[in-house]
Amino acid sequence: MVGIDDLSGAEFLAATGGNLDGFASADHLAGYAGLAPTPRDSGRRVGNLHRPKRYNRQLQRVFYTSPLISIQRSPASKSFYERNELRANATAKPSVLLPGAA
């Protein structure tokens, strides 16, 4: 993979133990890495999500740095990111883009 270098690959293998059979799905792996928000529902409150308190910080670092490296080193990833960034800015309200343009 483009975004995974030798050090990140080693950290990924160390954090998962080299075996992904312990995770039932990709969602469980994301939860273990602290990337998936966990619910904090209480009474009538529904959909109140927060960052989990217990997660694997090495695995989270691998998953956060790999897209950044991929954008820097892969022209295809960089063009995809720039295309989506332009699309997000085109749909934003003008008052968000230019202060005082409301």
Side-chain angles (χ1 to χ4, degrees), residues 8 10 12 18 25 32 37-38 44 59 72 81 96 100:
S8 331
F12 179 77
S25 68
Y32 180 69
T38 58
R44 295 184 188 173
L59 198 54
Q72 291 174 352
Y81 173 76
V96 174

PDB file of all heavy atoms in Angstrom, residues 8 10 12 18 25 32 37-38 44 59 72 81 96 100:
ATOM      1  N   SER A   8       5.350   1.960   9.774  1.00  0.00           N
ATOM      2  CA  SER A   8       3.912   1.839  10.036  1.00  0.00           C
ATOM      3  C   SER A   8       3.453   0.396   9.897  1.00  0.00           C
ATOM      4  O   SER A   8       2.597  -0.056  10.640  1.00  0.00           O
ATOM      5  CB  SER A   8       3.066   2.672   9.097  1.00  0.00           C
ATOM      6  OG  SER A   8       3.681   3.778   8.639  1.00  0.00           O
ATOM      7  N   ALA A  10       5.246  -2.254  10.494  1.00  0.00           N
ATOM      8  CA  ALA A  10       5.707  -2.961  11.685  1.00  0.00           C
ATOM      9  C   ALA A  10       4.832  -2.628  12.886  1.00  0.00           C
ATOM     10  O   ALA A  10       4.500  -3.511  13.693  1.00  0.00           O
ATOM     11  CB  ALA A  10       7.160  -2.605  11.975  1.00  0.00           C
ATOM     12  N   PHE A  12       1.676  -1.741  12.747  1.00  0.00           N
ATOM     13  CA  PHE A  12       0.395  -2.403  12.519  1.00  0.00           C
ATOM     14  C   PHE A  12       0.479  -3.880  12.905  1.00  0.00           C
ATOM     15  O   PHE A  12      -0.409  -4.402  13.575  1.00  0.00           O
ATOM     16  CB  PHE A  12      -0.019  -2.257  11.051  1.00  0.00           C
ATOM     17  CG  PHE A  12      -1.318  -2.926  10.721  1.00  0.00           C
ATOM     18  CD1 PHE A  12      -2.514  -2.345  11.078  1.00  0.00           C
ATOM     19  CD2 PHE A  12      -1.335  -4.148  10.070  1.00  0.00           C
ATOM     20  CE1 PHE A  12      -3.717  -2.965  10.785  1.00  0.00           C
ATOM     21  CE2 PHE A  12      -2.519  -4.777   9.769  1.00  0.00           C
ATOM     22  CZ  PHE A  12      -3.716  -4.180  10.129  1.00  0.00           C
ATOM     23  N   GLY A  18      -0.223  -9.566  14.231  1.00  0.00           N
ATOM     24  CA  GLY A  18      -0.006 -10.243  12.960  1.00  0.00           C
ATOM     25  C   GLY A  18      -1.174 -11.090  12.507  1.00  0.00           C
ATOM     26  O   GLY A  18      -1.082 -11.795  11.517  1.00  0.00           O
ATOM     27  N   SER A  25     -14.959  -7.875  12.125  1.00  0.00           N
ATOM     28  CA  SER A  25     -15.171  -7.055  10.928  1.00  0.00           C
ATOM     29  C   SER A  25     -14.234  -5.853  10.969  1.00  0.00           C
ATOM     30  O   SER A  25     -13.512  -5.635  11.945  1.00  0.00           O
ATOM     31  CB  SER A  25     -16.630  -6.583  10.855  1.00  0.00           C
ATOM     32  OG  SER A  25     -16.896  -5.674  11.902  1.00  0.00           O
ATOM     33  N   TYR A  32     -11.298  -0.798  17.873  1.00  0.00           N
ATOM     34  CA  TYR A  32     -10.103  -1.113  18.640  1.00  0.00           C
ATOM     35  C   TYR A  32      -9.044  -0.025  18.472  1.00  0.00           C
ATOM     36  O   TYR A  32      -8.309   0.291  19.392  1.00  0.00           O
ATOM     37  CB  TYR A  32      -9.559  -2.472  18.192  1.00  0.00           C
ATOM     38  CG  TYR A  32      -8.315  -2.920  18.904  1.00  0.00           C
ATOM     39  CD1 TYR A  32      -8.340  -3.278  20.246  1.00  0.00           C
ATOM     40  CD2 TYR A  32      -7.104  -3.002  18.235  1.00  0.00           C
ATOM     41  CE1 TYR A  32      -7.198  -3.698  20.898  1.00  0.00           C
ATOM     42  CE2 TYR A  32      -5.957  -3.424  18.876  1.00  0.00           C
ATOM     43  CZ  TYR A  32      -6.011  -3.773  20.209  1.00  0.00           C
ATOM     44  OH  TYR A  32      -4.877  -4.180  20.849  1.00  0.00           O
ATOM     45  N   PRO A  37     -16.550   6.269  16.746  1.00  0.00           N
ATOM     46  CA  PRO A  37     -17.096   6.855  17.968  1.00  0.00           C
ATOM     47  C   PRO A  37     -18.007   5.858  18.686  1.00  0.00           C
ATOM     48  O   PRO A  37     -18.645   5.021  18.063  1.00  0.00           O
ATOM     49  CB  PRO A  37     -17.889   8.063  17.473  1.00  0.00           C
ATOM     50  CG  PRO A  37     -18.181   7.772  16.053  1.00  0.00           C
ATOM     51  CD  PRO A  37     -17.078   6.901  15.549  1.00  0.00           C
ATOM     52  N   THR A  38     -18.040   5.952  20.006  1.00  0.00           N
ATOM     53  CA  THR A  38     -18.892   5.074  20.799  1.00  0.00           C
ATOM     54  C   THR A  38     -20.063   5.871  21.347  1.00  0.00           C
ATOM     55  O   THR A  38     -19.940   7.068  21.630  1.00  0.00           O
ATOM     56  CB  THR A  38     -18.100   4.453  21.967  1.00  0.00           C
ATOM     57  OG1 THR A  38     -17.580   5.514  22.767  1.00  0.00           O
ATOM     58  CG2 THR A  38     -16.963   3.599  21.462  1.00  0.00           C
ATOM     59  N   ARG A  44     -33.349   9.801  27.380  1.00  0.00           N
ATOM     60  CA  ARG A  44     -33.905  10.209  26.088  1.00  0.00           C
ATOM     61  C   ARG A  44     -32.833  10.581  25.076  1.00  0.00           C
ATOM     62  O   ARG A  44     -33.125  10.745  23.906  1.00  0.00           O
ATOM     63  CB  ARG A  44     -34.835  11.401  26.272  1.00  0.00           C
ATOM     64  CG  ARG A  44     -36.054  11.084  27.081  1.00  0.00           C
ATOM     65  CD  ARG A  44     -36.947  12.297  27.132  1.00  0.00           C
ATOM     66  NE  ARG A  44     -38.032  12.067  28.076  1.00  0.00           N
ATOM     67  CZ  ARG A  44     -38.882  12.976  28.442  1.00  0.00           C
ATOM     68  NH1 ARG A  44     -38.774  14.203  27.960  1.00  0.00           N
ATOM     69  NH2 ARG A  44     -39.836  12.686  29.292  1.00  0.00           N
ATOM     70  N   LEU A  59      -2.074   1.770  16.882  1.00  0.00           N
ATOM     71  CA  LEU A  59      -2.878   1.470  15.714  1.00  0.00           C
ATOM     72  C   LEU A  59      -3.579   2.721  15.195  1.00  0.00           C
ATOM     73  O   LEU A  59      -3.693   2.934  13.984  1.00  0.00           O
ATOM     74  CB  LEU A  59      -3.901   0.388  16.059  1.00  0.00           C
ATOM     75  CG  LEU A  59      -4.539  -0.362  14.929  1.00  0.00           C
ATOM     76  CD1 LEU A  59      -3.503  -0.969  14.018  1.00  0.00           C
ATOM     77  CD2 LEU A  59      -5.457  -1.433  15.464  1.00  0.00           C
ATOM     78  N   GLN A  72       0.935  12.594   0.039  1.00  0.00           N
ATOM     79  CA  GLN A  72       2.224  13.183  -0.322  1.00  0.00           C
ATOM     80  C   GLN A  72       2.931  12.419  -1.434  1.00  0.00           C
ATOM     81  O   GLN A  72       3.568  13.013  -2.290  1.00  0.00           O
ATOM     82  CB  GLN A  72       3.147  13.226   0.897  1.00  0.00           C
ATOM     83  CG  GLN A  72       2.711  14.200   1.944  1.00  0.00           C
ATOM     84  CD  GLN A  72       3.579  14.099   3.189  1.00  0.00           C
ATOM     85  OE1 GLN A  72       4.412  13.205   3.316  1.00  0.00           O
ATOM     86  NE2 GLN A  72       3.366  15.016   4.115  1.00  0.00           N
ATOM     87  N   TYR A  81      -7.880  13.560  -3.388  1.00  0.00           N
ATOM     88  CA  TYR A  81      -8.081  14.444  -2.240  1.00  0.00           C
ATOM     89  C   TYR A  81      -8.423  15.855  -2.693  1.00  0.00           C
ATOM     90  O   TYR A  81      -9.344  16.487  -2.169  1.00  0.00           O
ATOM     91  CB  TYR A  81      -6.823  14.451  -1.370  1.00  0.00           C
ATOM     92  CG  TYR A  81      -6.878  15.451  -0.252  1.00  0.00           C
ATOM     93  CD1 TYR A  81      -7.646  15.215   0.879  1.00  0.00           C
ATOM     94  CD2 TYR A  81      -6.174  16.652  -0.321  1.00  0.00           C
ATOM     95  CE1 TYR A  81      -7.712  16.134   1.901  1.00  0.00           C
ATOM     96  CE2 TYR A  81      -6.224  17.575   0.701  1.00  0.00           C
ATOM     97  CZ  TYR A  81      -6.996  17.309   1.807  1.00  0.00           C
ATOM     98  OH  TYR A  81      -7.068  18.223   2.812  1.00  0.00           O
ATOM     99  N   VAL A  96     -19.475  31.060   4.810  1.00  0.00           N
ATOM    100  CA  VAL A  96     -18.431  30.276   5.444  1.00  0.00           C
ATOM    101  C   VAL A  96     -17.092  30.519   4.754  1.00  0.00           C
ATOM    102  O   VAL A  96     -16.059  30.602   5.405  1.00  0.00           O
ATOM    103  CB  VAL A  96     -18.800  28.765   5.376  1.00  0.00           C
ATOM    104  CG1 VAL A  96     -17.668  27.919   5.906  1.00  0.00           C
ATOM    105  CG2 VAL A  96     -20.071  28.507   6.150  1.00  0.00           C
ATOM    106  N   GLY A 100     -18.039  37.837   6.430  1.00  0.00           N
ATOM    107  CA  GLY A 100     -18.737  39.081   6.167  1.00  0.00           C
ATOM    108  C   GLY A 100     -19.457  39.103   4.822  1.00  0.00           C
ATOM    109  O   GLY A 100     -19.957  40.135   4.402  1.00  0.00           O
TER     110      GLY A 100
END
